[in-house]
Amino acid sequence: MEKGLRSMLVNLLVSLKDIYTFRELEAITGVPQNNLWKYVSLSMVPEEPTAKKIYEEIRSKRVIEKAVASMIENIRAGEEWKSYWRIGYCDLAGFLLYEKLQYLRPDAIVVYPEKLMGIGMSLSRLLKKKLCVASSNKLCRSQSYVVEHYIDGYGYPSLIYLPRTCPPRGSRTVVLIEKTDRETVKAVARLIHYRLQARLAAITAILGKPDDLEDLNIPDQPKIMVLEHMVGSTP
């Protein structure tokens, strides 16, 4: 447990350093900048009581949630490149999702569209489970993929391609999508449940509200979570 806490804290500090300065992290944690630099550079590992104190300060002040809320603000402002392509944001978003999803014991994670791959990789690493990337790119058109045609919530015809062997048949699967678009969710669910015969453990979205997917007839009755709602930044 001690080793796990210390390792987790160091990883969190590395991610937070991509968002905050050492001066800001010192004000948050009460730990001198020099020591924080040593932790992040791995030249020193905090002792268990110190690691616990720093972790409790970070969580009690909702530092991770505030960082992810900033990430979502960027996306809402049309500057998603500041979020989906920034490792710190992706790792912190993945961490918050991991905290909720670990108890479901999933076997695989499916992300759609491809730009969510950074968050998916973080979640996959924490859960130590297989990552499957669904795509709308026609270059994926081959016998190696299954495809679902549908009309999205904005009235546009869309395609989703997913590898035939990912997620594996019978696996408990977590789906990560960008928005709580009901038609997209139903299309992904059809692909996974009927075409690949895997089970839906949870459907998670970056933007929206859980109510957006209320009373949606999805096989397996998966848990519904929305990151924007979790960090309290839902408009």
Side-chain angles (χ1 to χ4, degrees):
M1 179 65 182
E2 175 181 333
K3 181 179 179 181
L5 174 63
R6 294 162 72 191
S7 175
M8 178 182 65
L9 175 68
V10 170
N11 288 332
L12 279 178
L13 288 174
V14 170
S15 300
L16 288 168
K17 181 58 189 69
D18 190 46
I19 312 300
Y20 300 97
T21 65
F22 279 121
R23 184 183 297 275
E24 289 171 328
L25 289 175
E26 178 180 356
I28 291 167
T29 63
V31 176
Q33 295 181 49
N34 188 50
N35 284 358
L36 292 171
W37 179 85
K38 290 178 180 177
Y39 300 154
V40 170
S41 64
L42 302 181
S43 60
M44 184 170 73
V45 178
E47 295 296 328
E48 193 272 339
T50 302
K52 183 177 180 181
K53 175 182 177 297
I54 296 173
Y55 181 75
E56 288 175 350
E57 287 293 320
I58 290 172
R59 298 318 305 271
S60 66
K61 295 175 180 177
R62 293 179 57 83
V63 178
I64 300 172
E65 287 83 354
K66 290 176 182 177
V68 174
S70 296
M71 165 189 173
I72 290 170
E73 287 177 11
N74 291 336
I75 299 169
R76 287 287 187 190
E79 298 180 315
E80 60 182 32
W81 58 272
K82 290 183 178 180
S83 298
Y84 293 140
W85 284 267
R86 192 163 180 177
I87 294 175
Y89 278 141
C90 290
D91 284 347
L92 294 174
F95 177 79
L96 290 182
L97 292 173
Y98 163 75
E99 284 191 315
K100 301 293 185 181
L101 294 170
Q102 60 177 318
Y103 304 106
L104 298 180
R105 300 176 183 241
D107 303 306
I109 301 104
V110 170
V111 298
Y112 176 77
E114 300 96 318
K115 60 186 175 183
L116 302 187
M117 194 182 304
I119 301 175
M121 289 175 66
S122 170
L123 186 57
S124 174
R125 182 175 65 252
L126 290 167
L127 290 171
K128 297 181 174 60
K129 300 300 178 183
K130 191 178 187 70
L131 176 64
C132 312
V133 181
S135 175
S136 58
N137 194 326
K138 292 183 180 180
L139 292 176
C140 294
R141 184 180 293 173
S142 76
Q143 293 300 316
S144 300
Y145 291 82
V146 291
V147 61
E148 183 72 22
H149 303 254
Y150 73 104
I151 304 297
D152 67 19
Y154 303 97
Y156 295 107
S158 302
L159 299 170
I160 301 178
Y161 296 90
L162 193 58
R164 288 186 179 276
T165 58
C166 194
R169 183 172 181 172
S171 61
R172 287 177 54 79
T173 303
V174 166
V175 174
L176 176 61
I177 59 174
E178 183 177 35
K179 301 174 183 177
T180 51
D181 177 71
R182 294 171 68 89
E183 298 307 316
T184 300
V185 170
K186 288 192 289 186
V188 175
R190 286 194 299 269
L191 266 179
I192 293 172
H193 182 82
Y194 295 110
R195 302 291 296 280
L196 299 181
Q197 298 183 23
R199 293 175 293 164
L200 291 160
I203 293 176
T204 61
I206 305 300
L207 306 175
K209 303 184 293 293
D211 291 350
D212 295 339
L213 301 178
E214 190 176 20
D215 300 324
L216 196 61
N217 187 20
I218 306 175
D220 303 322
Q221 297 183 325
K223 184 177 181 64
I224 304 294
M225 289 185 294
V226 181
L227 189 60
E228 186 172 24
H229 180 77
M230 288 167 55
V231 300
S233 60
T234 304

